Structure formats: C-alpha cells, structure tokens
Amino acid sequence: MINSPRLVVLDLDGTVVPYSGKFLEPSPRVRKAIARAIEAGATVTVATGRAVWTTLSTVRMLGLSGIELVCSDGAVGYDLDTDQVIFRVLINAKPAVDALAACAPDAGFAVEHGTDGYLYTAEFPLEHAIGYLREVDREELVAQPTARLICRVAGDLHTENTTLEDLRARRRDAELLLDRAGLDPALYHVELGYSGWMDITRAGVNKGSGVARIAANLGITAEETLVIGDAGNDLAMFAWAGHSVAMGQAADPIKAAADEVTASVEEDGVALVLEKLF
C-alpha cells in the first residue's frame, strides 16, 4: 500500500456508485472519505468508461473540482474547471462497423459526437436518460472520426427484470461476435462490459493510458498513484499504477490482478481504503 498517494483515481460504476439502469448518488461515507483525502493534499479524480456528458453529474456529486478526468475508457481527457477537452484520441469506425455488421446485421452501433452525445443506429438499445442526439444510418455514423464506437446486440436493454443469467448470455453473445468479426488489433482496442456492451477505441488506448497522461500533466509518477476499480476495463490502470485495489464484488480475475481487495461498492469499499490512508 502507498502510505501517502499523491493521486487517487476512482472508477465510477461498481466502485463509487452501484451498477444501475440510472446513475445513482455516491454514499455520504464515500463523499466524506474523498473530501478527507483532498484535504490531506491528494488529487482525487476518476477514470471511467462513461462519456463526458454522463460523467460530470457524478463527479460533481463527489465534490471534485480543479481536476482532469479520464472518460470513454481512456480516449478522452476533460478539464472539469474549464469544461474543455484536453485530449481526444480518434478512430475511423468504418472498418469495425463493417466487420461487426457483416457477422451480426441486427447489431446496434453508436459513436461519440464530440462531447455532445451519441449518434446511433436504429438497432442500438437506448439506455439512460441523457446523451442521445439523433438516429442515423450506418453511412452517416462512420462519416467522421470518433473517440469511441459502441456495439451492442440488438434488443440488449437493461431493465429491472434483467437477470444475472441474461447478462452472462449477452456477454457470451458479444464474445462470439467479436471472435467472428476479427477486428484488427493494430487498429482497435476493445473493452467488453458485463452486459455485452462493446467499447471500441484506438489500439493502445485504455484507462491506463489515460491515467498516465493525466498523471504526467500533474507531475505525478505511477508509484505515487492509487487506483480503485472493479471491472475488466480497470486492468490497464491496475497494471500501470503503484497500487491497485479491486472492489469486493469484482470477478475473481479482477481481484487477482489487484494489489489489494476492499469491500463491495454496497459496503462503501472505496471509503474503507481512503479512511485507512487519510
């Protein structure tokens, strides 16, 4: 464990707030622990798979300010105070869309349109309350470079009736689709979510690369950085940081990759870690 980390990087969903069909509020205990870390001199920020526009409300609930954020699985960096993008790593989505659609014609796609929201095809399951700009055809979808392409199996909508077995089946379907499509690893990096949500960014772009850029801007080293997360897209920042913590409800491979395991998100695992340090 780092005795006094200069940088604390938190995942959001499954780490700071529970997974849900809507964005929940962090617990008072988590917010208090973060405030104590900041008062002690640490910089606290987030690295999330969420896009900028779905990140900001939760970040502000955490009481964060004066920081740079890592969004879109490392493809976008954002300055919270100036409301400006500090980096955006773009891809040409067309080859990936063509390969995936050839294997699954009913798959749904969406791309990030700057920091405004998603353009999406008719088959893409709409979820959450914000961020959807307009429906487009595939030709318009891939007309401009984007920071992130998302692919989902048609009908893949998370509801209150969605079971754990439903989620596992969706993930298996997504894995099979990716295997058949054979996306070029020299072009694309793919993160597969627990519900089969496929995030596609440029090769070499991930939360680890994003956190490294933010830390460099602050003059902070990997050895001075603590990261906390719960999912596969957190593994790259686990590998980069001086100390990594997995949430208690994380899958066994995630726990095995971390230096430490804390309690679950429902048990305020983030607060437990920060309370020990600060």
Side-chain angles (χ1 to χ4, degrees):
M1 170 64 78
I2 303 173
N3 289 327
S4 300
R6 293 181 60 201
L7 178 62
V8 176
V9 183
L10 306 173
D11 171 50
L12 290 182
D13 298 300
T15 300
V16 170
V17 294
Y19 284 109
S20 173
K22 59 183 179 180
F23 298 128
L24 304 177
E25 292 189 13
S27 75
R29 186 178 180 184
V30 166
R31 284 181 283 191
K32 183 178 180 180
I34 289 172
R36 286 174 57 180
I38 294 170
E39 289 169 4
T43 296
V44 181
T45 189
V46 304
T48 178
R50 295 189 196 179
V52 167
W53 57 88
T54 55
T55 299
L56 296 179
S57 60
T58 304
V59 165
R60 290 180 175 129
M61 288 177 194
L62 294 171
L64 302 183
S65 63
I67 59 168
E68 297 173 351
L69 312 172
V70 177
C71 301
S72 304
D73 281 325
V76 178
Y78 194 79
D79 189 304
L80 184 61
D81 281 3
T82 65
D83 287 325
Q84 297 291 321
V85 171
I86 56 174
F87 66 82
R88 181 187 287 118
V89 186
L90 301 178
I91 59 169
N92 173 11
K94 187 178 188 307
V97 169
D98 288 348
L100 290 163
C103 297
D106 61 350
F109 298 95
V111 295
E112 293 191 10
H113 186 268
T115 57
D116 300 325
Y118 297 116
L119 302 179
Y120 57 93
T121 62
E123 301 84 1
F124 190 81
L126 301 185
E127 202 165 7
H128 311 308
I130 59 175
Y132 298 106
L133 294 177
R134 68 178 187 277
E135 182 182 317
V136 297
D137 60 24
R138 288 179 185 163
E139 183 177 356
E140 183 176 354
L141 186 86
V142 301
Q144 299 295 328
T146 183
R148 174 173 57 164
L149 166 69
I150 302 165
C151 176
R152 298 181 72 180
V153 176
D156 177 12
L157 186 63
H158 186 83
T159 70
E160 292 181 357
N161 297 322
T162 301
T163 67
L164 181 59
E165 186 51 42
D166 291 334
L167 297 176
R168 289 172 175 165
R170 291 174 183 177
R171 184 179 174 92
R172 289 193 296 269
D173 289 344
E175 290 172 342
L176 290 171
L177 174 55
L178 287 169
D179 286 344
R180 293 197 303 270
L183 301 188
D184 187 347
L187 296 177
Y188 301 115
H189 173 79
V190 181
E191 292 286 359
L192 184 58
Y194 74 105
S195 65
W197 177 294
M198 291 166 264
D199 278 339
I200 300 167
T201 56
R202 185 188 290 184
V205 172
N206 50 56
K207 284 191 182 182
S209 67
V211 170
R213 293 179 74 152
I214 296 296
N217 291 344
L218 294 168
I220 295 175
T221 66
E223 290 72 23
E224 299 171 301
T225 303
L226 164 71
V227 299
I228 308 178
D230 75 307
N233 65 348
D234 296 312
L235 292 176
M237 70 176 185
F238 281 15
W240 179 84
H243 193 80
S244 58
V245 180
M247 300 300 292
Q249 82 285 349
D252 288 343
I254 310 302
K255 294 178 180 178
D259 298 309
E260 179 184 352
V261 177
T262 186
S264 70
V265 62
E266 290 83 4
E267 298 167 309
D268 290 335
V270 166
L272 290 173
V273 174
L274 298 182
E275 286 164 1
K276 286 191 297 184
L277 290 170
F278 303 102

